[in-house]
Amino acid sequence: MSAAVDTATVLLVGNPNVGKSTLFNHVTGARQRVVNAPGTTVALTEGTWRVDGVDVTLVDLPGTYSLIARSPDEQVAADAVTQPGQDLAVVALDATALSRSLYLLGQVARAGRPIVASLTMTDLARARGLGPDTAALAAALGVPVVEVDGRTGAGTRALADAIAAALRTHPRVAGIVPRAADHELGDELTHAQELFDWIEGIADAALPVAEVRESWSDRVDKVLLNPWAGIPAFLAVIWAVFQLTTAVAAPLMDGAAALVDGPVTTATTWLLSALHAPAWLESFAVGGIVAGVGAVASFIPLMAIMFASVTVLESSGYLARVAVVADRAMRAAGLDGRAMLPLIVGFGCNVPALSATAVLPHARQRLLTGLMVPLTSCTARLTVYLLLAETFFPRHAGTVVFAMYVVSIALVVLFGLAARRTVLRDARPEPLIIVLPDYQRPHLRTLGLGVWARTVSFVRKAGSVIMVAIAVLWVLQAIPVRGGHDLADVPIEDSAYGATAMAVAPVLAPLGLDDWHIAASLVSGVAAKEVTVGALAQSYALEDPGTGSAPALEDQVRATVEASSGGEAGAAGLAFMVFVLAYLPCMATLAEQRRLYGWRWTAGAAAAQLTMAYVLATAVFQVGRLV
């Protein structure tokens, strides 16, 4: 028996959809953080659990069916199990598919890990007539087996006691001989029959001999997996998610922004005035820091709603059905049906769509989908389309706006195909092999804890990037480069921001958009796409178009583009819209990409997208002027 310990690292291992992440969220609560496995883009969640006086670091590994790794996610799980530094593995066993779960447990035992087993889904298994005998299972395995329900917390106290005891006794699975530490698990297939024989013996000892009964999930699936009913149901679910990320989130976002723009801004201004702070400092505090806080705060409701929506779909079991229904359509882009959800959400907002890629099982699939998401035309771009369509194509504005969404879909597919044939060759489409878990009711407490952890991670990582970007934009607008103006009291054309726009403008000549007003709006659009129209108005010294000055703005923009395009305003206007669709995503999207995939992939994707946008917009103008 080992001496008592104060800290320990425990791995939480299990198949996908076995309930281990629900258990993790329940026992760790808000004491968790999202990290990337070293050298990968695979996200891991670590949490702290106080177990009988021991501070346990619980690591929720990616769901996997085997330690024979076929994807980066499975490789991370295999490496964590086989490498030293972990004290114990808690293996989650699905009572509705015990044999499949025992295969993974046997592999973990072969790696030499002490094990405690948590038995989940017992209520569903008993409803099917498949409920295992927990005591017999524990006796056959030779390690503790604890029935748990992560949604309600039932059994977690007993699991904590079993872990505390196991950290002292290091229980090993009976009938499995650990292999040498330097032995590769990649040759597991040569030992497969031995493992299957062991599983058969355990199942005979623990499972009842009974006729399997048809469950409620089976009856529902006869409808939802039928294409005639399943596709309309899928579209209804996607519509509901889209509504949540647009109509429902919008007033909450406006409220969060209004709180910052109103009381917070007023209080900041009053405090700095009372302290007799210089005008430039007050301007920076309000226009830089507070504006950055407001931008981040406005995204919090949207992200929380998106995280909650995805978690409900996943934990209820419906997301697996979405993958089956949408699989055929997604194969053209080298993905499976699970990628449909984030791409659809992207037409509402790209930021939560990136977060929704977490539903995909493999890191390379998440990365490929995440690179495609910024080409989905979010609602923020719609304001720009409407202004430009009414300006250049007033008789066909609706048709032109619709065409932009068609172009967006085409670019998503083409960009995905190009990426899969170049930098992401290893993201090959595979047959969709997915286990359909029984439908379950998500538990509110567990749902809330999961949403909280993900939202906090977004604010900490992506929020800091957004705030810095907005502060830099303020600095550029506040610094005079000509005209002898005071700091933070500069006409836009005489600021560093205006000078930057004038320097960029000649690059837009092949697009027919060689004008600093246009360039300034595009530079501002990197901060947020909806800022593009406001930046145009600001560059012409007009009020916000929403106050009724939009016709004047339309006239100004048309006159500018007529001059810059040599009289081919229609072709240049269309090139403008294509460029807005495809060029750099907004700063919040870039920040979320960086959080999920790192700077290298974010910068590379942004450069590729900007190049594609420039080439396409140039082609549109050069061909359009000849038509």
Side-chain angles (χ1 to χ4, degrees), residues 95 98 119 126 130-140 145 147 202-203 205-208:
L98 185 62
L119 188 64
R126 287 174 182 138
L130 295 173
D133 184 327
T134 305
L137 180 60
V145 178
E147 289 189 26
I202 300 295
L207 289 176

Side-chain angles (χ1 to χ4, degrees), residues 166-417:
L167 290 172
R168 297 188 297 269
T169 60
H170 309 292
R172 308 284 177 168
V173 173
I176 297 291
V177 179
R179 294 156 66 181
D182 61 350
H183 202 293
E184 292 290 335
L185 285 176
D187 65 347
E188 183 67 45
L189 289 175
T190 62
H191 302 273
Q193 189 58 52
E194 175 188 338
L195 195 56
F196 290 148
D197 292 341
W198 173 82
I199 293 170
E200 185 177 357
I202 300 295
D204 288 343
L207 289 176
V209 179
E211 182 179 353
V212 178
R213 297 190 292 269
E214 184 181 53
S215 69
W216 178 80
S217 292
D218 296 328
R219 293 191 292 272
V220 173
D221 279 344
K222 290 180 180 178
V223 177
L224 292 185
L225 295 182
N226 183 303
W228 293 103
I231 291 176
F234 165 63
L235 293 176
V237 170
I238 292 297
W239 176 85
V241 172
F242 191 82
Q243 287 294 102
L244 284 172
T245 58
T246 53
V248 175
L252 298 177
M253 295 175 68
D254 292 342
L259 177 64
V260 176
D261 293 341
V264 175
T265 298
T266 301
T268 302
T269 303
W270 177 85
L271 178 61
L272 291 174
S273 298
L275 295 174
H276 303 290
W280 68 266
L281 180 59
E282 180 177 329
S283 177
F284 174 70
V286 173
I289 297 176
V290 174
V293 171
V296 175
S298 68
F299 271 101
I300 291 176
L302 175 63
M303 299 306 295
I305 288 175
M306 186 64 242
F307 289 140
S309 300
V310 172
T311 303
V312 167
L313 291 176
E314 188 172 22
S315 60
S316 68
Y318 182 68
L319 198 58
R321 278 77 180 175
V322 170
V324 173
V325 171
D327 184 62
R328 184 184 296 271
M330 294 308 301
R331 296 231 155 254
L335 296 165
D336 66 41
R338 285 165 287 208
M340 179 65 79
L341 177 64
L343 291 175
I344 291 293
V345 171
F347 284 95
C349 180
N350 292 171
V351 181
L354 288 171
S355 299
T357 59
V359 303
L360 299 175
H362 303 315
R364 301 305 267 185
Q365 286 189 348
R366 291 196 293 271
L367 177 59
L368 176 57
T369 307
L371 298 183
M372 296 160 65
V373 161
L375 289 170
T376 57
S377 190
C378 64
T379 52
R381 293 178 174 97
L382 180 59
T383 59
V384 187
Y385 298 158
L386 290 173
L387 171 68
L388 298 179
E390 289 290 347
T391 300
F392 299 106
F393 311 99
R395 295 183 180 179
H396 307 285
T399 302
V400 171
V401 171
F402 173 76
M404 296 310 300
Y405 282 88
V406 174
V407 171
S408 174
I409 294 170
L411 290 181
V412 167
V413 174
L414 291 174
F415 190 87
L417 290 173

Side-chain angles (χ1 to χ4, degrees), residues 459-554:
V459 171
R460 286 177 177 171
K461 296 181 178 180
S464 60
V465 176
I466 296 170
M467 289 188 62
V468 169
I470 290 177
V472 169
L473 191 61
W474 177 90
V475 170
L476 291 174
Q477 292 177 335
I479 296 177
V481 293
R482 63 175 70 89
H485 303 286
D486 293 331
L487 183 67
D489 185 19
V490 192
I492 189 169
E493 65 271 19
D494 292 336
S495 67
Y497 174 78
T500 302
M502 292 177 185
V504 170
V507 179
L508 301 177
L511 287 67
L513 301 172
D514 182 7
D515 184 85
W516 78 269
H517 300 83
I518 306 297
S521 69
L522 292 172
V523 171
S524 298
V526 178
K529 288 294 178 285
E530 59 268 30
V531 174
T532 304
V533 175
L536 274 172
Q538 187 181 32
S539 68
Y540 289 116
L542 295 175
E543 297 297 325
D544 188 341
T547 63
S549 56
L553 178 60
E554 292 170 356

